[in-house]
Amino acid sequence: QVQLVESGGGLVQPGGSLRLSCAASGFTFSIYYMGWYRQAPGKERELVASISSGGSTNYADSVKGRFTISRDNARNTVYLQMSSLKPDDTAVYYCNKTPFGDWGQGTQVTVSS
């Protein structure tokens, strides 16, 4: 079955950087769109960034120029490099394929001084 394991979150000061990783298994990773999503307390889950099988990327307006999504098909892993982090970026971050598989546990990102 589809398994997605996110890692790399933590506590960071405003302006700092983090790199998230998502290890995927149970499906042919290389042929699927992959996305990073986040859910802040009291808010709906939202799409942050996506990447096609060919490497084309799209970003939410709120993270353009600060976040970079990438993928390594040999490692079945998708990454999210986050820089210039803001308190509004605080959320649990998840990855998933399109169409969705089962959600993983996510990784908490907290931006605070």
Side-chain angles (χ1 to χ4, degrees):
Q1 71 277 18
V2 172
Q3 188 171 16
L4 301 162
V5 180
E6 301 91 347
S7 62
L11 173 63
V12 63
Q13 293 187 343
S17 299
L18 282 174
R19 187 195 195 204
L20 307 183
S21 300
C22 169
S25 61
F27 63 101
T28 307
F29 177 83
S30 61
I31 68 173
Y32 283 93
Y33 267 79
M34 294 296 299
W36 279 99
Y37 301 79
R38 67 185 181 188
Q39 187 167 20
K43 295 187 177 181
E44 293 188 354
R45 192 170 296 177
E46 63 173 348
L47 176 65
V48 173
S50 63
I51 185 167
S52 72
S53 57
S56 297
T57 58
N58 280 288
Y59 298 92
D61 287 344
S62 58
V63 306
K64 276 181 183 176
R66 301 188 298 120
F67 290 11
T68 302
I69 188 171
S70 61
R71 65 191 297 161
D72 184 339
N73 288 337
R75 297 179 183 269
N76 287 1
T77 301
V78 61
Y79 303 97
L80 187 68
Q81 178 68 48
M82 306 185 296
S83 60
S84 301
L85 283 161
K86 306 174 181 179
D88 283 350
D89 295 318
T90 295
V92 180
Y93 284 71
Y94 303 86
C95 69
N96 213 323
K97 66 180 189 66
T98 301
F100 289 158
D102 291 337
W103 292 94
Q105 84 287 350
T107 186
Q108 176 71 48
V109 172
T110 302
V111 185
S112 175
S113 55

